[in-house]
């Protein structure tokens, strides 16, 4: 035995004989639930936002470089694929924002009961949809309007 | 636990680690709380900063480069932009490190260094760009 985790597999039958505990089954045997899906979603969106920071850095560097570089980045973002990426980035950022606040509430010791967890979970989903649509509605009306 | 089975366990478990060490949750790195805590502190900072940033981007939708530059050059915006990118890349690097620790077994050190290095460089690019617009 070389790993401390092996020690935690050691268990006893009622007659005192030693058995190795069975392994816990992995993710795929469980039915997806609100709690697990939102937890996985929080991690996936974190990776998506991280990738999206490249766009942020490009935008900042272009704005600092000059009108030509800035026009290029604006042109790429205004492209349908660019807008789709930007929309995906917004959804991810907004979801991660609310899911992060949900985590901070848990960290403060509140909202651990199952009904509270489900309420805050659905609230997170609802606020994500509402905020994303609101930001894009304002953005598109400002962009196309004037 | 009977004496005989306790002996059997002792015979099987050869780990040079005390139960106190296990209870404290300290591995070879002797840390962990710091990482968890700073992740939370940066998260709290990013709550108002992210709202400010999204609202700012919406107000800048029709701006050309000189206008964006002028906007970023106002001291309040310069400071908040700097705070946003510093908190973002610090938080990002801490969060991605947890994912790496969970899933990357091969070349863990190399991927860790890549994470830290990329976050540092992206952060520095952003900081220099913001300062260039400000001065």
């Amino acid at each position: 035995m070389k790993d401390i985790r092996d020690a935690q597999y050691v268990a006893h039958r009622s007659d005192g004989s030693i058995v190795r505990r069975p392994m816990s089954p992995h993710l795929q045997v469980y039915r997806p639930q609100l709690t697990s899906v939102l937890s996985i979603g929080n991690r996936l969106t974190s990776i998506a936002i991280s990738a999206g920071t490249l766009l942020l850095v490009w935008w900042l560097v272009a704005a600092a470089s000059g009108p030509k570089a800035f026009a290029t980045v604006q042109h790429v973002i205004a492209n349908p694929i660019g807008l789709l990426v930007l929309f995906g980035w917004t959804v991810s950022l907004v979801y991660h924002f609310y899911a992060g606040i949900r985590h901070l509430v848990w960290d403060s010791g509140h909202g651990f009961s199952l009904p509270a967890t489900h309420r805050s979970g659905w609230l997170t989903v609802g606020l994500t949809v509402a905020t994303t649509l609101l930001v894009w509605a304002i953005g598109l009306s400002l962009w196309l309007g004037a | 636990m009977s004496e005989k089975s306790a002996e059997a366990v002792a015979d099987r478990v050869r780990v040079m680690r005390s139960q106190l060490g296990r209870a404290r949750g300290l591995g070879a790195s002797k840390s962990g709380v710091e990482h968890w805590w700073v992740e939370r502190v940066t998260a709290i900072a990013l709550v108002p900063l992210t709202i400010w940033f999204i609202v700012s981007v919406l107000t800048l939708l029709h701006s050309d480069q000189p206008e964006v530059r002028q906007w970023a050059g106002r001291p309040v915006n310069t400071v908040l932009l700097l705070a946003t990118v510093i908190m973002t890349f610090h938080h990002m690097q801490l969060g991605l490190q947890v994912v790496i620790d969970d899933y990357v077994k091969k070349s863990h050190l190399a991927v860790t260094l890549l994470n830290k290095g990329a976050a540092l460089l992206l952060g520095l690019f952003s900081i220099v760009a913001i300062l260039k617009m400000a001065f």
Side-chain angles (χ1 to χ4, degrees), chain A residues 72-145:
Chain A
T72 307
V73 71
Q74 296 285 73
H75 186 71
V76 169
I77 294 173
N79 183 287
I81 295 169
L83 286 176
L84 194 68
V85 169
L86 194 63
F87 185 79
W89 194 60
T90 318
V91 177
S92 301
L93 185 64
V94 171
Y95 176 73
H96 199 73
F97 177 89
Y98 286 124
I101 290 174
R102 188 168 174 237
H103 263 284
L104 289 172
V105 173
W106 280 330
D107 291 339
S108 74
H110 299 284
F112 282 114
S113 74
L114 211 49
T117 307
H118 273 248
R119 270 199 308 275
S120 63
W122 284 118
L123 187 67
T124 304
V125 173
L127 286 171
T128 301
V129 173
T131 308
T132 307
L133 292 180
L134 183 72
V135 167
W136 272 74
I138 295 171
L140 285 176
S141 67
L142 285 174
W143 192 47
L144 300 171

Side-chain angles (χ1 to χ4, degrees), chain B residues 33-126:
Chain B
V33 175
E34 179 74 9
H35 183 284
W36 186 91
W37 176 246
V38 177
E39 208 176 354
R40 266 71 191 169
V41 171
T42 50
I44 292 166
L46 281 167
V47 170
L49 289 171
T50 305
I51 296 171
W52 169 81
F53 181 74
I54 289 181
V55 172
S56 301
V57 169
L58 287 175
T59 65
L60 286 169
L61 278 178
H62 273 293
S63 306
D64 54 12
Q65 190 264 345
E67 285 166 344
V68 171
R69 202 188 167 108
Q70 198 186 27
W71 170 84
R74 287 194 205 108
V76 173
N77 296 334
T78 310
V79 168
L80 290 180
L81 268 178
L82 287 172
T84 304
V85 295
I86 291 168
M87 291 298 149
T88 294
F89 286 111
H90 197 18
H91 185 82
M92 181 186 97
Q93 161 284 117
L94 289 168
L96 287 179
Q97 190 58 45
V98 181
V99 180
I100 292 165
D101 291 345
D102 279 354
Y103 298 118
V104 178
K105 285 193 175 161
K106 271 189 191 172
S107 335
H108 179 270
L109 179 62
V111 179
T112 296
L113 293 175
L114 186 71
N115 171 39
K116 307 278 179 189
L120 179 70
L121 287 178
L122 289 173
L124 285 175
F125 267 117
S126 309

Side-chain angles (χ1 to χ4, degrees), chain A residues 1-88:
Chain A
M1 201 173 283
K2 283 177 184 147
D3 192 311
I4 183 69
R5 283 168 293 193
D6 286 336
Q8 293 167 337
Y9 282 125
V10 178
H12 300 87
R13 291 199 187 88
S14 54
D15 67 359
S17 60
I18 290 171
V19 291
R20 188 181 157 85
R21 290 181 201 273
M23 280 263 280
S24 169
H26 201 51
L27 284 176
Q28 64 270 21
V29 305
Y30 294 106
R31 181 175 62 85
Q33 301 172 81
L34 182 68
T35 42
S36 63
V37 169
L38 294 186
S39 173
I40 294 163
N42 196 34
R43 181 161 275 194
L44 288 181
T45 52
S46 76
I47 296 166
I49 303 161
S50 302
T53 58
L54 292 171
L55 198 62
L56 170 72
V57 175
W58 187 25
W59 186 76
L60 285 170
V61 170
S65 302
K68 213 177 155 191
F70 191 69
T72 307
V73 71
Q74 296 285 73
H75 186 71
V76 169
I77 294 173
N79 183 287
I81 295 169
L83 286 176
L84 194 68
V85 169
L86 194 63
F87 185 79

